[in-house]
Amino acid sequence: MLSVVGVSLGKISVQRKTGDIFENRITDLVIYESSRLMARYRNLNSYFSDGFVKRHESVVAGLAIDEGGRLVVYGIENAMRLELPDVRSEISNAVSKYVEHALTDSEMSRATFTVTDLSAEPLDFIFPLLPEKQSCIIGVTRDLHGGFRLYVGFDHRVTEGREVALFLGELRSRLQSFDTGIRASNTRCCFCEKSLAEEVHSLKNRGLIKVLNAEGNEVYCCLACLGGR
């Protein structure tokens, strides 16, 4: 009952420090944003068993690691509550423990959905396979022109293509918001329409602030509007 839906992200240029292990990758961003979306797309954080759909009580993001034929999925606990630096730290620690053969059975069996990043080499398409007790696996690829793509493998007994397409649409928008070029040209304060470029210039690179509006949607706000000025 496995199906796959995909979207194109295009090039995403993320500001990274020289030597950053995430340079030219978006693994950390995909895990960070998809974990937050699981609160709204609960079917993607569930699984099918004994004729019933069963929901996981927490969000544990799985990171697929394979460096030479030994594939494991490391589970990042409470992923939807972690800030981005914490997600990056979890990924770094997981890779270190993987290299040292120090991962425990519990760490490799607790994930509720999985992200597998195959963007190191040019790739047009993947058909990601679901790990046990999961209904969603997100595959990341990058084409010859440097454009990223996402493919979600999902269990049709738990969810359907429309829901996955909506999930991918939201995830794509969130990931593209990290692109320095897109942000500078398109992102504005939702209250006064001040652009990100203006706010970065006036606040010495601090930028806009992501807040929840009265409808419960995430929007961007400048410092002046946040202070009620």
Side-chain angles (χ1 to χ4, degrees):
M1 301 300 290
L2 177 66
S3 296
V4 175
V5 174
V7 294
S8 175
L9 302 178
K11 293 182 179 180
I12 298 181
S13 300
V14 183
Q15 189 173 2
R16 308 280 199 189
K17 294 181 180 179
T18 303
D20 193 322
I21 67 168
F22 300 104
E23 191 173 8
N24 299 321
R25 290 177 177 268
I26 58 172
T27 320
D28 54 335
L29 307 182
V30 175
I31 290 177
Y32 174 72
E33 293 294 357
S34 59
S35 296
R36 276 156 170 68
L37 284 173
M38 289 299 165
R40 295 220 306 276
Y41 295 91
R42 295 186 62 196
N43 284 335
L44 303 186
N45 197 56
S46 305
Y47 65 100
F48 189 86
S49 178
D50 298 326
F52 297 94
V53 174
K54 300 183 179 180
R55 301 193 188 281
H56 292 291
E57 295 182 1
S58 60
V59 176
V60 181
L63 169 68
I65 310 174
D66 185 0
E67 297 290 341
R70 186 170 61 95
L71 174 64
V72 303
V73 177
Y74 174 81
I76 301 174
E77 293 187 297
N78 300 313
M80 65 182 296
R81 296 187 178 90
L82 297 179
E83 296 301 326
L84 185 53
D86 300 319
V87 170
R88 290 173 174 161
S89 178
E90 282 277 352
I91 294 173
S92 298
N93 291 339
V95 173
S96 296
K97 293 179 73 173
Y98 172 87
V99 171
E100 296 168 0
H101 298 271
L103 291 172
T104 66
D105 290 341
S106 173
E107 290 171 329
M108 294 186 291
S109 61
R110 64 194 182 195
T112 59
F113 78 98
T114 294
V115 173
T116 178
D117 189 345
L118 298 176
S119 64
E121 300 293 336
L123 196 64
D124 290 327
F125 178 77
I126 59 173
F127 195 89
L129 299 178
L130 286 169
E132 187 178 1
K133 290 190 176 181
Q134 295 183 30
S135 66
C136 171
I137 180 169
I138 304 169
V140 184
T141 68
R142 185 164 49 176
D143 61 31
L144 286 169
H145 306 290
F148 288 99
R149 299 175 184 175
L150 298 179
Y151 296 95
V152 171
F154 63 96
D155 190 338
H156 241 304
R157 299 170 299 179
V158 178
T159 183
E160 36 82 27
R162 182 178 181 277
E163 181 177 35
V164 177
L166 291 172
F167 168 80
L168 272 174
E170 287 199 53
L171 181 56
R172 174 173 55 188
S173 296
R174 289 176 177 231
L175 294 174
Q176 288 176 335
S177 73
F178 286 93
D179 185 280
T180 52
I182 293 177
R183 288 186 303 172
S185 60
N186 296 335
T187 306
R188 296 179 178 274
C189 173
C190 71
F191 303 103
C192 70
E193 293 295 314
K194 181 187 290 185
S195 71
L196 174 63
E198 292 177 273
E199 192 76 345
V200 166
H201 177 73
S202 62
L203 292 178
K204 299 180 180 179
N205 293 321
R206 279 188 285 177
L208 298 173
I209 302 165
K210 187 180 287 187
V211 299
L212 289 178
N213 63 13
E215 288 75 38
N217 299 318
E218 287 188 344
V219 296
Y220 291 94
C221 178
C222 70
L223 190 62
C225 290
L226 186 67
R229 288 176 281 174

